[in-house]
Amino acid sequence: MSNSNVLQIRKIIFDNFNEIDLRFSNDEIYEFLKKTDTFDKSQTIDDLESDFKKIENDGLVRCIAQNFTTQWFKIFDDIEKIPCTSCNTDAYLGKEESRICPNSDCNATL
Ligand SMILES: [Zn+2]
């Protein structure tokens, strides 16, 4: 799946950092990713830069600080889990995000 990292990152934020006052880093998310079976562990934190950029551009998170390769984020809004009946996966979307399935192979309206 072409954007599986982005989908996994969305789920990790939902499961662990779904609080608007909480700050979390790309390094913390990377640690969770490495524990995910489907994650290609040859990928370094640098390889994920575009994936973090994507969730920022999509309006899920904002970057609040950066120190070398470490980026700190906060979510904009509570994240909701919405079942997508088109691709049979759960979509994790911030409340203000467009109701479009973030799976790039699907993109169904939810
Ligand atoms: Zn879908």
Side-chain angles (χ1 to χ4, degrees), residues 43-61:
Q43 297 175 100
T44 66
I45 189 87
D46 292 334
D47 295 326
L48 301 175
E49 199 180 329
S50 63
D51 297 318
F52 283 102
K53 201 79 210 155
K54 173 78 174 132
I55 58 166
E56 224 182 312
N57 291 339
D58 286 348
L60 181 74
V61 299

Side-chain angles (χ1 to χ4, degrees), residues 10-105:
R10 282 178 172 275
K11 183 179 189 313
I12 288 167
I13 296 173
F14 174 82
D15 286 340
N16 302 280
F17 306 109
N18 193 6
E19 257 181 75
I20 49 173
D21 293 329
L22 205 60
R23 54 178 246 171
F24 51 90
S25 70
N26 54 351
D27 297 325
E28 289 175 299
I29 291 175
Y30 184 58
E31 290 306 312
F32 281 106
L33 277 171
K34 286 194 284 187
K35 292 176 199 156
T36 307
D37 293 339
T38 52
F39 182 67
D40 171 2
K41 291 172 183 65
S42 66
Q43 297 175 100
T44 66
I45 189 87
D46 292 334
D47 295 326
L48 301 175
E49 199 180 329
S50 63
D51 297 318
F52 283 102
K53 201 79 210 155
K54 173 78 174 132
I55 58 166
E56 224 182 312
N57 291 339
D58 286 348
L60 181 74
V61 299
R62 63 183 189 276
C63 185
I64 53 164
Q66 179 153 10
N67 181 15
F68 297 99
T69 61
T70 300
Q71 290 183 302
W72 294 91
F73 298 99
K74 279 185 175 183
I75 55 172
F76 276 108
D77 291 290
D78 294 332
I79 301 173
E80 297 174 323
K81 177 179 174 174
I82 304 166
C84 177
T85 50
S86 299
C87 65
N88 284 315
T89 59
D90 289 322
Y92 299 93
L93 293 172
K95 274 187 177 153
E96 298 297 316
E97 283 190 280
S98 304
R99 287 302 182 248
I100 308 269
C101 179
N103 176 354
S104 60
D105 296 331

